[in-house]
Amino acid sequence: MSTTATRVIVTGTEQSRSSVLRKRRPEIAQRPGQRRRERRETLAGYGFLVPWLIGFFGLTLIPMVYSLYLSFTRYNIFQAPRFIGLDNYIRLFTQDPQFIQSATITLVYVLVGTPIMLAAALAVAMLLNYRDRGAAFFRSAFYAPSLIGASVSVAIVWRAMFGGDGPVDSILSSVGINIGSWVGNPSLVLPAMIILSVWQFGSTMVIFLAGLKQIPKELYEAAEMDGANAVQRFRAVTLPMLSPVIFFNLLLGLIGAFQVFASAYIISNGTGGPAGMTNFITLYLYKRGFADGQYGYAAAIAWVLLVVVAIIAFILFRTQKNWVHYSGDNR
């Protein structure tokens, strides 16, 4: 018997080799076609990404990098930028009391208005969660203000409502509370702005409602069997299970509150008054850049705002492990 035949009988090497070759031949034949298809799919994917990449680089990244450069320059539109180092930033924090006032007012607006807005949205979401009849109508009714709340027309209506002899002043005067114009009173214009921000809680409410729908009813039934009342069930079941949604809405609410501009501009006629109480940091940035032509200084204000928002977001993400509970989390 030949050596080859012996190897086939004992080890099956030739059979294995031929079978492997038979299996590999179709793959080898298909590989060039597969590669061409993969290449076409890759090119098609990049082709769909091209509009987004153009927008990202042309409208976001490159303007951001250029604005960072401008923040270290003295620049108006009629002269080339002149590099001045950190002078704009030093001026912001040591020589510009209007910026300090603007930053303070913005922080008050954010830290007061955002929690009130979240509380109102959660309260309405919980009411709608236990109501079946007319729930779709009420969801739409509460959501509608969030669609138009930042528009110029609503800001004009809001200024008329809280102005002298407006509906709010007339109603309060009818019960003996003579306050007068809210938008002309330095002590009341900021509360009017906060009320406007709270009125726009519709989108936040819808997100809360979606989160409430995902909480298993068995948890409430178990807590009720253990003797927990409504407040205890809210603290022990609703808040922990809803904490990821609360975190999401809190983060978006804070970022959105820092960007308030249109309503402040309309209510104050672009002046930031009365007494600078609507001169939010975005409005102050606009006035310095587009009214005064100090584009380098306005760029520095924008980057300070960006850094503050980034720090707050970083703190929220770092502290979420202490109060945000996700499904399957053993903490």
Side-chain angles (χ1 to χ4, degrees):
M1 185 179 294
S2 65
T3 306
T4 304
T6 304
R7 191 184 304 122
V8 169
I9 294 173
V10 175
T11 63
T13 305
E14 287 296 328
Q15 182 180 357
S16 301
R17 184 183 302 170
S18 61
S19 62
V20 169
L21 289 175
R22 283 197 301 270
K23 292 180 181 178
R24 285 183 177 178
R25 282 185 191 120
E27 296 179 2
I28 294 173
Q30 294 176 3
R31 189 172 298 166
Q34 289 179 350
R35 289 179 177 176
R36 284 194 295 271
R37 282 198 303 271
E38 291 175 359
R39 189 178 298 111
R40 286 197 299 267
E41 291 174 357
T42 302
L43 292 175
Y46 282 118
F48 283 113
L49 281 175
V50 166
W52 182 87
L53 291 173
I54 293 175
F56 174 73
F57 285 102
L59 302 177
T60 303
L61 184 61
I62 294 175
M64 283 184 63
V65 174
Y66 188 63
S67 71
L68 179 61
Y69 163 71
L70 289 181
S71 69
F72 297 102
T73 66
R74 179 174 289 111
Y75 170 62
N76 58 55
I77 199 172
F78 302 105
Q79 297 177 347
R82 184 167 64 87
F83 187 80
I84 58 175
L86 295 174
D87 287 359
N88 285 331
Y89 294 95
I90 295 173
R91 175 186 168 192
L92 274 175
F93 294 102
T94 61
Q95 303 173 14
D96 192 351
Q98 291 187 10
F99 171 75
I100 302 300
Q101 181 195 28
S102 175
T104 303
I105 293 170
T106 304
L107 284 175
V108 172
Y109 176 83
V110 171
L111 297 178
V112 175
T114 303
I116 296 176
M117 185 267 293
L118 291 176
L122 179 57
V124 174
M126 292 184 67
L127 291 175
L128 292 179
N129 189 41
Y130 292 104
R131 180 184 179 91
D132 294 328
R133 296 185 59 185
F137 168 77
F138 286 107
R139 281 199 301 267
S140 301
F142 284 115
Y143 182 71
S146 65
L147 298 176
I148 59 175
S151 66
V152 173
S153 59
V154 171
I156 294 173
V157 171
W158 209 260
R159 184 178 63 184
M161 287 179 57
F162 285 86
D165 298 326
V168 175
D169 180 46
S170 300
I171 294 172
L172 293 177
S173 298
S174 64
V175 295
I177 303 176
N178 298 312
I179 294 179
S181 173
W182 288 50
V183 297
N185 190 330
S187 302
L188 296 176
V189 65
L190 188 57
M193 294 290 299
I194 292 174
I195 294 173
L196 176 58
S197 70
V198 173
W199 182 67
Q200 305 172 43
F201 68 78
S203 58
T204 305
M205 179 269 298
V206 171
I207 297 174
F208 273 136
L209 184 58
L212 289 170
K213 295 292 186 183
Q214 300 301 315
I215 300 177
K217 294 183 179 180
E218 292 80 3
L219 296 178
Y220 291 107
E221 294 173 356
E224 189 173 1
M225 291 179 62
D226 289 338
N229 56 32
V231 176
Q232 292 171 333
R233 291 196 299 270
F234 175 76
R235 293 177 57 185
V237 178
T238 304
L239 286 182
M241 295 298 295
L242 204 62
S243 57
V245 181
I246 295 174
F247 172 76
F248 177 78
N249 282 332
L250 176 62
L251 182 63
L252 291 188
L254 289 174
I255 294 174
F258 272 107
Q259 299 177 12
V260 58
F261 173 76
S263 55
Y265 183 88
I266 297 300
I267 289 176
S268 67
N269 289 319
T271 63
M277 293 304 294
T278 59
N279 196 25
F280 296 105
I281 195 167
T282 50
L283 180 56
Y284 185 62
L285 183 159
Y286 171 83
K287 292 194 300 181
R288 286 299 190 186
F290 294 95
D292 300 338
Q294 302 179 28
Y295 295 102
Y297 193 65
I301 297 174
W303 275 95
V304 169
L305 176 61
L306 175 64
V307 170
V308 170
V309 173
I311 290 174
I312 292 176
F314 175 78
I315 292 173
L316 286 176
F317 275 103
R318 291 290 294 178
T319 58
Q320 67 163 327
K321 61 182 179 181
N322 298 323
W323 61 278
V324 179
H325 306 278
Y326 296 97
S327 178
D329 196 345
N330 296 322
R331 288 177 288 136

